[in-house]
Amino acid sequence: QVQLVESGGGLVQPGGSLRLSCVASGFTFSSAAMRWYRQAPGKERELVAHITTAGGRTTYVDSMKGRFTISRDNAKSTTYLQMNSLKPEDTAVYYCNAFRTFPKLEYWGQGTQVTVSS
């Protein structure tokens, strides 16, 4: 059974930090690129960050560059999203995504709520 389980969300004040984790099971974690998405109320889900299978390359949406860092530990089948200098507009449900083009693979976690508010 495939699972992606996110954790680490919560309520944080503006300027604060959170570290999200996503633990994968049920598939070969090291064969999949990992992504973090987020969805704010009333908005479409958007890509936040992407990391390649071995972690050698990362990409970010412009508004997150310099504030967010995606990483992975293939030995622990876990990917992380370190979020610093959080802003109220970062408030959203954050989702972990596993993706591979061939053979086709795509899985989603259930999401973790991040709320940035004073």
Side-chain angles (χ1 to χ4, degrees):
Q1 181 183 1
V2 172
Q3 282 191 310
L4 292 175
V5 180
E6 300 102 331
S7 63
L11 174 64
V12 63
Q13 292 187 342
S17 298
L18 283 174
R19 187 195 196 203
L20 306 183
S21 299
C22 171
V23 180
S25 60
F27 66 100
T28 305
F29 179 76
S30 60
S31 74
M34 297 300 297
R35 298 168 174 174
W36 285 96
Y37 286 78
R38 70 183 185 185
Q39 187 166 19
K43 295 187 177 181
E44 293 188 354
R45 191 172 297 188
E46 63 172 344
L47 177 66
V48 172
H50 169 102
I51 187 166
T52 52
T53 54
R57 186 166 61 93
T58 58
T59 55
Y60 302 90
V61 173
D62 284 347
S63 61
M64 289 77 163
K65 285 182 181 178
R67 299 192 300 124
F68 291 9
T69 303
I70 188 172
S71 61
R72 66 189 295 162
D73 184 339
N74 286 348
K76 295 182 179 179
S77 296
T78 302
T79 189
Y80 305 96
L81 185 68
Q82 177 68 43
M83 305 186 295
N84 299 328
S85 302
L86 283 162
K87 306 174 182 179
E89 51 264 44
D90 294 318
T91 294
V93 178
Y94 284 72
Y95 296 91
C96 175
N97 170 269
F99 177 80
R100 187 178 66 205
T101 54
F102 185 80
K104 175 68 175 178
L105 174 159
E106 185 163 27
Y107 305 119
W108 290 90
Q110 82 289 350
T112 185
Q113 176 70 47
V114 171
T115 302
V116 184
S117 175
S118 56

